[in-house]
Amino acid sequence: MTRTAMSKKASESSSNEGAGEPSPSQLIDARIEDLGGWRGEVLAHMRTLIKQADPDVVETVKWRKPSNSMLGVPVWEHAGIICTGETYKTYVKLTFAKGASLEDPSGLFNASLDGGTRRAIDIREGDLIDEDAFKALIRTAAALNISSAK
């Protein structure tokens, strides 16, 4: 999606964002559209699962820069960052900010396993994700953020 199309789309919305500035959700929509193909489909699907797991999740976009067409990185937050959604040529990476502190009985985490704080799920084309386990992980991450904020 071009910047002009994003600006037009933003101006058509009833967002509280500044004039002509797309909302975070619109930026994520644009990122998914820009990706296209299987990576766009995976990111869109995981976004849907995140929202289903935590209806109070807030979408934000961080790290907007020319190298990612100013679309930035999708971030899902609830009393702090739950996870980010980065895309690479051969995989989509969902990085959980406090993943090292989360129970992962289904073994979804398959990347960044040596770090002291974060854990990630790398999803390659054709990979299947246990949706129920993923939603449970999202709810657990949100609960950890909420308890840490108190």
Side-chain angles (χ1 to χ4, degrees):
M1 176 181 282
T2 66
R3 249 182 256 240
T4 305
M6 284 192 319
S7 293
K8 182 179 180 212
K9 191 173 183 182
S11 66
E12 293 170 352
S13 78
S14 59
S15 165
N16 291 336
E17 301 294 315
E21 276 296 307
S23 71
S25 290
Q26 290 168 328
L27 285 170
I28 295 171
D29 290 341
R31 185 77 177 146
I32 290 167
E33 185 177 321
D34 186 57
L35 285 167
W38 71 267
R39 293 179 306 155
E41 290 172 13
V42 167
L43 187 59
H45 182 66
M46 301 314 289
R47 176 191 199 190
T48 297
L49 295 177
I50 291 166
K51 290 177 170 184
Q52 288 173 354
D54 183 0
D56 294 324
V57 74
V58 175
E59 293 188 315
T60 61
V61 175
K62 299 188 185 297
W63 310 292
R64 292 178 69 190
K65 54 190 176 186
S67 65
N68 60 30
S69 303
M70 296 305 289
L71 295 176
V73 176
V75 179
W76 292 275
E77 301 184 39
H78 188 150
I81 293 175
I82 293 174
C83 69
T84 62
E86 300 163 275
T87 53
Y88 298 92
K89 193 173 256 187
T90 60
Y91 59 96
V92 173
K93 178 183 280 298
L94 296 168
T95 302
F96 284 71
K98 297 179 182 176
S101 299
L102 300 175
E103 293 292 324
D104 181 22
S106 297
L108 294 177
F109 290 134
N110 60 8
S112 305
L113 300 175
D114 295 332
T117 306
R118 293 182 294 275
R119 295 284 183 273
I121 302 169
D122 287 354
I123 305 168
R124 290 178 167 69
E125 187 173 12
D127 284 355
L128 298 176
I129 293 292
D130 181 335
E131 294 182 1
D132 291 333
F134 180 75
K135 288 180 187 181
L137 199 57
I138 292 294
R139 287 188 288 271
T140 302
L144 177 61
N145 284 352
I146 292 165
S147 69
S148 298
K150 289 182 180 178

